[in-house]
Amino acid sequence: MVIKESLRAHAYLSLYNVSTDLVIANRIIPDHVTDPFFMQWKQNQSQYRQEIHDNFQPLPVKEAPLFQEEMCGLSALERLKEILYDQEDPTQIYYKETTLRVVQEEGQYSLELYLPGIPKDQVELSKTADELNITIGNHRRNLVLPQALAAMQPSGAKMEADYLKIKFSSTP
């Protein structure tokens, strides 16, 4: 359930033009834990770890172990930083994805929105004046269209490689 909620949050952030550059999976049971009590947990976790990598691809995934104690205080955060980032700059951009773009091809315009994992049948579109209204579940975004698209009407939409591609045509 947590993985599905994270996937949904990733898509909704993209809807609002907030890109995600890294996924952190936490509370991973370390390999050195060999107690038989944790064996089934480790097997299940192995499947979920693969699911995280598969579902969030191409985003990089870093893993934080399950610690013996709660991560409280600056020294604990420093320890976590060393595990996750070692000598890396944690402020760097790990993956860059354009969440919104206008494309012009052969005199036609399209608006492309990055919505990873969202099926087209869950997306509702409507246009009012110079705004495109996008609804996914209970999330709605009113996107003010660029001037090149504001005078045009949507003429079709399709999902392709995690992008909702909305074609625009001139008003007859």
Side-chain angles (χ1 to χ4, degrees), residues 88-149:
E88 296 175 5
D89 175 3
T91 65
Q92 71 178 293
I93 296 173
Y94 286 88
Y95 180 78
K96 187 167 177 73
E97 182 69 55
T98 303
T99 56
L100 177 90
R101 59 186 175 210
V102 176
V103 178
Q104 181 184 14
E105 290 179 349
E106 302 169 12
Q108 294 250 332
Y109 285 96
S110 65
L111 178 67
E112 299 180 356
L113 297 166
Y114 182 63
L115 299 174
I118 301 294
K120 184 178 177 264
D121 64 352
Q122 290 184 8
V123 180
E124 293 180 27
L125 299 171
S126 63
K127 184 176 181 279
T128 307
D130 65 347
E131 288 187 354
L132 182 65
N133 308 306
I134 307 157
T135 305
I136 303 170
N138 60 358
H139 291 270
R140 179 184 176 132
R141 178 167 185 205
N142 297 333
L143 177 67
V144 176
L145 292 168
Q147 193 171 15
L149 301 178

Side-chain angles (χ1 to χ4, degrees), residues 31-92:
D31 290 336
H32 69 267
V33 174
T34 58
D35 186 314
F37 180 82
F38 289 102
M39 286 306 112
Q40 185 62 46
W41 284 27
K42 287 178 77 170
Q43 288 174 359
N44 290 342
Q45 197 168 67
S46 177
Q47 287 178 287
Y48 293 133
R49 288 166 74 185
Q50 187 60 51
E51 189 177 325
I52 290 166
H53 285 270
D54 292 344
N55 285 314
F56 284 96
Q57 186 178 12
L59 291 175
V61 177
K62 289 187 178 258
E63 296 181 347
L66 173 64
F67 292 100
Q68 290 179 331
E69 69 282 339
E70 289 296 321
M71 298 302 295
C72 297
L74 291 178
S75 63
L77 289 175
E78 183 69 29
R79 182 173 161 210
L80 180 61
K81 179 193 81 94
E82 292 302 320
I83 288 169
L84 289 175
Y85 302 107
D86 192 30
Q87 299 300 313
E88 296 175 5
D89 175 3
T91 65
Q92 71 178 293

Side-chain angles (χ1 to χ4, degrees), residues 147-163:
Q147 193 171 15
L149 301 178
M152 301 176 137
Q153 290 299 317
S155 60
K158 65 180 178 177
M159 284 300 293
E160 189 176 290
D162 285 333
Y163 277 90

